[in-house]
Amino acid sequence: MSDVSVKICGLGRPEHVAAAVEAGAKYIGFVFFPKSPRDISIADARALALDVPPGVAKVALVVNADNTFLDDLIAQVPLDMLQLHGSETPDRVAEIKARYGLPVMKAVGVADADDLPALDAYVRVADQILVDAKPPKNADLPGGNGLTFDWRLISGRRWPVPWMLAGGLTAENVAEAVALTGARQVDISSGVEAAPGEKDANLIRAFMAAAQGA
């Protein structure tokens, strides 16, 4: 059995949360971004989060969220981590950590070697980093676009905090991604969907089996 940990992001239904947990996911992700087909209300996320068993981390994905929204979110939803997926600066990451006392994961988009220095800036303030495929220019979504990047760009690279690989992963390519990058954590959203925002329990189970066998 592999020791690759999996995060299933963009969940919105109890049966899909249950499928992810039962298949062995270590992280469950809820998206709070109105432009996303995976957007969820705070009330719905609370109901789902309350059914997640101990030992599975509940992660809120937010995009350039202000303190008013974060105050409301954290007051209502029992979360274990915040995932910042916008253009938050290192100073903003540090401010959110200090204000809320929750671990923070910062997503950084990668398309080519010029994007790698940003990773070094964020590892100094974030508890984890998410190395994701950089969205196309003028894209509506900062992630969840089903795009990969050249995994060789980060082959052999290590950072002083835990990191997670994302971007276009599927049951068919996750083993190659892990082999090329050395990732011990992977994140998937669109790769386990039958349609944008519509998770598929069978695809979740297939991805989990492939990742755990990587």
Side-chain angles (χ1 to χ4, degrees):
M1 178 73 69
S2 165
D3 62 351
V4 174
S5 297
V6 176
K7 175 173 171 279
I8 307 289
C9 196
L11 291 163
R13 295 184 184 176
E15 63 268 29
H16 296 147
V17 171
V21 169
E22 289 164 9
K26 298 299 184 186
Y27 301 83
I28 298 296
F30 304 117
V31 172
F32 301 91
F33 185 54
K35 291 184 179 181
S36 172
R38 305 164 190 97
D39 182 48
I40 191 171
S41 70
I42 288 177
D44 286 347
R46 174 180 170 80
L48 293 175
L50 288 171
D51 279 340
V52 175
V56 179
K58 301 172 293 294
V59 184
L61 185 159
V62 297
V63 180
N64 301 323
D66 60 22
N67 288 350
T68 300
F69 177 81
L70 292 174
D71 288 349
D72 193 23
L73 173 66
I74 289 166
Q76 296 192 53
V77 184
L79 295 169
D80 300 298
M81 181 177 288
L82 292 170
Q83 178 179 329
L84 308 182
H85 218 107
S87 56
E88 300 90 357
T89 65
D91 284 347
R92 177 60 173 156
V93 174
E95 177 190 353
I96 288 172
K97 277 186 59 175
R99 182 179 178 90
Y100 299 106
L102 284 173
V104 172
M105 178 190 297
K106 179 67 181 89
V108 179
V110 172
D112 55 43
D114 291 340
D115 298 315
L116 298 177
L119 291 163
D120 296 325
Y122 286 107
V123 297
R124 292 193 285 269
V125 290
D127 298 282
Q128 296 202 37
I129 52 173
L130 180 78
V131 186
D132 198 1
K134 196 172 189 176
K137 288 184 178 180
N138 302 318
D140 286 334
L141 303 180
N145 292 296
L147 301 174
T148 62
F149 64 95
D150 185 351
W151 296 318
R152 293 171 296 182
L153 286 168
I154 59 169
S155 179
R157 287 180 177 263
R158 297 294 179 266
W159 295 278
V161 298
W163 65 281
M164 189 175 289
L165 180 67
L169 295 175
T170 65
E172 290 72 34
N173 68 15
V174 66
E176 179 187 6
V178 167
L180 280 174
T181 64
R184 307 321 300 158
Q185 301 191 113
V186 295
D187 175 281
I188 190 167
S189 185
S190 61
V192 289
E193 291 180 345
E198 292 294 327
K199 292 293 187 286
D200 183 296
N202 289 328
L203 292 176
I204 289 172
R205 287 187 282 268
F207 182 82
M208 289 298 308
Q212 291 170 342

